[in-house]
Amino acid sequence: MTGSMDGHAEDRGRVYQASGDQHISEHHHYGGEAAPTNGPDSVRRPAVGRPPIILRDRTEVLERLRESMRAGRGGEVYVLYGMGGCGKTAVAYTFFQQATDGCGRVGLWVSATDRASLRAGMLAVAADRGAGDGELLAARNGLRPAADLVWQYLDRSAEPWLLVLDNADRPEILRDGNWLRTSPRGTVVVTTRRSAARWWPGAELQHIGVLPREDAARVLRDLAPHSGTQEDAAEIAERLGRLPLALTLAGGFLSQQVLDPWTLETYGRHLDEGERVELIDRGADALSEEDPRHLVGLTWQLTLDAFEAQGLPEATALLRLMARFGPEPLPLSLLNRPEISGVLPRARCETALRALLDQSLTELVDVGVRSAQSHAVLLDSVAAATPAQQIPVLNATAVLLLDAAVPDIPDAGPYDPLLRLLVPHGLALLRRIGDPSTSADALAVVTRLSIALHRTGDYLSAWETARAAADLGERQLGAEHRLVLAARSRAGRTLFRLGRYTGAEPLLKRVRATQERLFGADDPDTMDSGYGLQLVLGNLGRRDEAIRLARTTIADRRRALGPAHPLTLRSRSSMLVLLSASEIVAEDDGTLLSLPSECLRHLGADHTVTLGAHHNHAWALYLLGRFDEADQEIRLVTEAYRRRFGPEYPIALAAQQLLSRTQAARGHLDAAIELMTDVVARRVQGLGSDHPFTVAGRQLLSDFSSGRWRPPET
């Protein structure tokens, strides 16, 4: 086997992916000595802020659920469905507590509101049940099926469990990844608004409706016991449709009146008054008579009126701002920024938030990041009733807050739970904004968020974010808007990282051709898409096309950005793993082999591009037969990767595999076998026995052990 074919057939794809894109371009490394768990702090604690004081009228439902906890039972899926605000999560929470406190079950609670939250939560479940860091890292990076890993460990669990998938209002998310399964070791409970049986084959469906009159009245009296009689409470409960969310908001309001407490009779009179209460019907969204937002709107508007009367208009402003985002946990750090001053003074944000908490309009939850969370029905009704003249400044401020929370220049780093939490809020903003200019600003931020996710290795979330952002942006801006094309390009780059080369190639080709037609060949966006396409072509085995495109990108970047720009140096580095030994010596007037020194001079020793250039340079030295030099360089690179990203990280294993080759080439076959044995063991754990990377590593180890291996010919 020639040196060129040796690199292409066995290592080039792997090293090229790692060095050409993974640690130079995509920067998706983790910091520290070990891979992080990439999920909420705990799946053993329900992510709800305020559990119900007393759960009314759910005895029959809870008894049916408790039946599944009896000895020998397992394999059931229960779906609790009903309109928003009817208390599905409260039922699941109460059952969760009963199962863990009295039935000896391990309780596992996962938010299923969006793909990223579901995946992170389920991988945290796998970690709780014993999955190792390497396996979790591979699943997170899209290198092995994440759902299979999770259910493998759930099936192996030594303890029986209860798994709650909360707020699964988009059941297609569960279906797409085959996340919802059964196991004899446990019981699954799903809460959702979607009741169609086709979404829940084999599950037992349980409707959770509004409360009976007497129980609804008791909810009001549980929260505000001194505000009136049982009959008074029953009358107000009927007015509020006996919807638990509306009752909770009303009771929270009544319980907080101190200087001039309202009675239930007074509350009912205010429900009859007022034009302001009916603002809910003037919003942007048309509401049907059955829509629960009508009922919720009756309650929160009275609370906002009270805020105004008490000299707390900032609470109203903050709630309307929060309604521009989604119902998922909203990191508190997002609100604690000077950019919020467009809507309310930053110094008053704490007081405003406390007022919302006191009135049960939001609640604090801890999902690894301290956050505030409001019910989706409440946010929808607030958004619909927001005066039209306030919407532009609310949208602009929301975009500024999100922009400040996303890194200006995303780079390699450890997993940051804040990034994943920002995704649904960025997409919610894109859905709510109707102004093209503000939509463009929001799309730019969400695309940058996708890049940041990509560069921490959360490829699936990055792809889903970029794809969804492009689709939403296209509705407002058109298919050929610069920012829409940039989001599509980012989606293509992430498809490449997920190994979906056949999907990435046509997408990147189409985007690059459009960018070149609209903006020119030397436009930065065009060059970025060209670089991404070159990576795909190289991994598809179309070496000549990849080399031609790489040379074009290098020339364009030199001309547009200069020879010392990190993107120019990164593009040149990719040539070190594309070319054969003879081509490397002749390329770029013979200067390609001095690239690490250039990177060191212009960027510094710790820059990601510099480290990647050393990795690729070691491969080139190996092809050239300069084994001692290659061994010394790749040893330093391997140590740096292990120190920064952990021993299981893919590029750390790729570097270790190259180190095994240089050791073998220098005659240290025992050391090479030891290194490759470790690589294969870690890949088996992280990727599985049948993954191509594992198969290639096992073949190299076999060649070492049998004596078939030969160094590259020079």
Side-chain angles (χ1 to χ4, degrees):
M1 182 178 289
T2 68
S4 173
M5 287 302 293
D6 180 86
H8 176 80
E10 293 185 32
D11 270 315
R12 191 199 60 79
R14 182 68 192 119
V15 174
Y16 177 50
Q17 290 182 44
S19 301
D21 185 60
Q22 200 165 29
H23 72 258
I24 299 175
S25 171
E26 308 306 0
H27 310 297
H28 74 293
H29 318 308
Y30 293 84
E33 293 300 321
T37 57
N38 190 21
D41 275 358
S42 174
V43 288
R44 296 287 192 100
R45 186 179 66 247
V48 296
R50 296 183 182 181
I53 299 173
I54 301 174
L55 192 65
R56 297 293 184 182
D57 184 51
R58 306 304 187 195
T59 305
E60 184 179 343
V61 174
L62 288 169
E63 180 56 34
R64 291 178 61 194
L65 292 173
R66 278 195 296 268
E67 280 289 317
S68 69
M69 298 289 101
R70 293 184 177 172
R73 294 286 297 275
E76 294 95 344
V77 175
Y78 295 92
V79 175
L80 309 181
Y81 72 91
M83 74 171 74
C86 67
K88 303 178 295 292
T89 296
V91 173
Y93 174 88
T94 303
F95 177 50
F96 185 97
Q97 296 302 121
Q98 293 175 352
T100 55
D101 293 343
C103 300
R105 294 284 179 127
V106 170
L108 305 163
W109 188 284
V110 172
S111 170
T113 54
D114 63 275
R115 285 183 172 87
S117 297
L118 173 65
R119 184 182 308 110
M122 291 295 275
L123 287 176
V125 165
D128 182 273
R129 296 293 82 204
D133 287 341
E135 296 169 297
L136 295 168
L137 182 62
R140 207 158 40 242
N141 290 356
L143 300 176
R144 68 176 297 168
D148 289 350
L149 176 70
V150 175
W151 282 96
Q152 171 188 325
Y153 276 93
L154 284 172
D155 288 340
R156 293 179 182 175
S157 176
E159 304 158 292
W161 45 261
L162 167 66
L163 171 64
V164 175
L165 301 176
D166 192 32
N167 291 322
D169 296 329
R170 297 167 61 197
E172 62 273 15
I173 294 174
L174 297 175
R175 176 175 291 181
D176 289 349
N178 195 17
W179 287 105
L180 182 58
R181 309 183 191 182
T182 61
S183 170
R185 298 301 299 151
T187 299
V188 181
V189 172
V190 181
T191 70
T192 181
R193 300 187 202 180
R194 307 287 291 278
S195 61
R198 70 178 185 276
W199 292 117
W200 318 110
E204 184 171 339
L205 274 66
Q206 173 63 57
H207 179 247
I208 306 295
V210 298
L211 296 172
R213 177 185 172 95
E214 293 304 312
D215 285 295
R218 290 190 185 98
V219 169
L220 283 174
R221 300 202 71 205
D222 290 338
L223 295 167
H226 305 298
S227 59
T229 67
Q230 177 74 8
E231 185 55 35
D232 292 335
E235 290 181 11
I236 297 299
E238 285 289 352
R239 301 274 299 281
L240 297 177
R242 294 179 274 119
L243 185 73
L245 175 60
L247 297 169
T248 300
L249 294 175
F253 170 81
L254 289 166
S255 68
Q256 294 297 322
Q257 304 306 302
V258 178
L259 294 178
D260 186 18
W262 286 19
T263 64
L264 284 163
E265 182 183 0
T266 306
Y267 191 88
R269 189 165 60 250
H270 279 271
L271 286 178
D272 291 331
E273 285 174 358
E275 190 167 321
R276 295 187 69 190
V277 173
E278 296 175 357
L279 282 174
I280 185 69
D281 299 318
R282 302 181 184 175
D285 297 335
L287 307 181
S288 69
E289 288 300 320
E290 295 76 20
D291 197 302
R293 286 177 290 176
H294 282 296
L295 306 173
V296 175
L298 294 173
T299 62
W300 65 254
Q301 186 61 59
L302 288 177
T303 304
L304 299 192
D305 291 345
F307 286 154
E308 296 282 349
Q310 296 166 13
L312 275 175
E314 296 89 358
T316 302
L318 179 60
L319 184 60
R320 286 173 173 158
L321 176 63
M322 293 170 68
R324 310 318 295 169
F325 297 112
E328 294 78 13
L330 182 69
L332 294 180
S333 60
L334 189 80
L335 302 175
N336 189 26
R337 295 181 180 276
E339 290 80 6
I340 203 170
S341 60
V343 170
L344 73 157
R346 183 182 183 184
R348 297 288 289 168
C349 189
E350 174 82 17
T351 302
L353 181 60
R354 287 189 178 279
L356 297 181
L357 291 168
D358 286 342
Q359 299 290 340
S360 299
L361 292 168
T362 193
E363 56 187 11
L364 294 179
V365 295
D366 192 340
V367 289
V369 173
R370 292 182 68 247
S371 304
Q373 186 168 19
S374 300
H375 199 286
V377 172
L378 171 65
L379 294 180
D380 284 348
S381 67
V382 172
T386 298
Q389 66 271 20
Q390 294 184 15
I391 291 176
V393 69
L394 289 168
N395 284 338
T397 301
V399 172
L400 288 174
L401 289 169
L402 189 67
D403 179 66
V406 179
D408 289 336
I409 304 176
D411 198 358
Y415 167 75
D416 183 354
L418 176 66
L419 296 176
R420 180 181 54 77
L421 291 174
L422 296 177
V423 171
H425 301 296
L427 297 179
L429 261 179
L430 283 171
R431 293 187 189 97
R432 294 218 191 270
I433 294 173
D435 169 58
S437 176
T438 312
S439 290
D441 293 340
L443 179 56
V445 175
V446 177
T447 301
R448 199 170 83 243
L449 174 59
S450 171
I451 296 171
L453 288 163
H454 193 140
R455 291 176 181 175
T456 64
D458 195 351
Y459 299 129
L460 288 170
S461 295
W463 172 62
E464 290 159 358
T465 302
R467 181 183 60 170
D471 290 343
L472 291 168
E474 185 173 322
R475 297 176 191 175
Q476 282 287 330
L477 305 172
E480 294 192 343
H481 191 279
R482 174 184 286 278
L483 292 172
V484 173
L485 291 170
R488 298 276 183 219
S489 179
R490 176 49 49 183
R493 295 282 290 276
T494 310
L495 279 176
F496 159 72
R497 179 53 51 216
L498 289 169
R500 303 177 190 177
Y501 304 145
T502 56
E505 182 198 3
L507 176 57
L508 286 169
K509 272 189 172 179
R510 183 171 65 251
V511 169
R512 179 174 178 266
T514 304
Q515 289 170 327
E516 188 169 11
R517 171 171 56 82
L518 295 174
F519 315 130
D522 57 354
D523 182 82
D525 289 354
T526 306
M527 291 187 287
D528 284 347
S529 296
Y531 180 78
L533 179 58
Q534 161 227 314
L535 299 175
V536 176
L537 294 173
N539 280 271
L540 285 170
R542 288 151 61 179
R543 176 179 174 275
D544 292 343
E545 291 179 71
I547 289 174
R548 284 196 298 272
L549 185 52
R551 285 172 173 155
T552 298
T553 302
I554 291 169
D556 290 342
R557 282 182 165 170
R558 267 184 170 146
R559 183 171 57 255
L561 304 174
H565 194 281
L567 294 179
T568 306
L569 296 170
R570 179 182 65 183
S571 295
R572 291 180 63 201
S573 179
S574 68
M575 297 297 288
L576 287 165
V577 289
L578 273 175
L579 301 175
S580 66
S582 59
E583 291 169 331
I584 289 170
V585 175
E587 185 73 12
D588 220 353
D589 297 324
T591 63
L592 191 56
L593 285 173
S594 64
L595 183 62
S597 297
E598 290 186 54
C599 292
L600 184 63
R601 184 168 65 255
H602 295 299
L603 306 177
D606 295 331
H607 197 284
T608 322
V609 171
T610 303
L611 186 58
H614 279 294
H615 188 166
N616 293 353
H617 184 255
W619 171 254
L621 293 175
Y622 171 76
L623 289 183
L624 290 166
R626 295 161 60 177
F627 302 133
D628 289 344
E629 296 172 75
D631 184 79
Q632 182 178 9
E633 188 163 26
I634 196 59
R635 184 181 299 278
L636 294 174
V637 169
T638 302
E639 290 172 356
Y641 284 159
R642 291 174 69 93
R643 186 170 56 251
R644 290 177 59 181
F645 312 131
E648 271 85 19
Y649 206 76
I651 54 173
L653 294 176
Q656 186 171 324
Q657 180 163 314
L658 178 54
L659 178 60
S660 76
R661 288 181 174 276
T662 60
Q663 284 286 293
R666 297 177 65 229
H668 306 308
L669 196 56
D670 288 344
I673 291 173
E674 182 179 352
L675 287 165
M676 275 312 298
T677 299
D678 182 63
V679 169
V680 171
R682 292 182 188 277
R683 283 181 174 164
V684 167
Q685 183 189 38
L687 304 176
S689 298
D690 299 327
H691 193 282
F693 297 166
T694 308
V695 172
R698 190 184 292 114
Q699 182 60 54
L700 180 58
L701 177 59
S702 175
D703 290 344
F704 284 157
S705 301
S706 66
R708 292 191 303 268
W709 181 84
R710 296 290 182 273
E713 299 176 4
T714 58

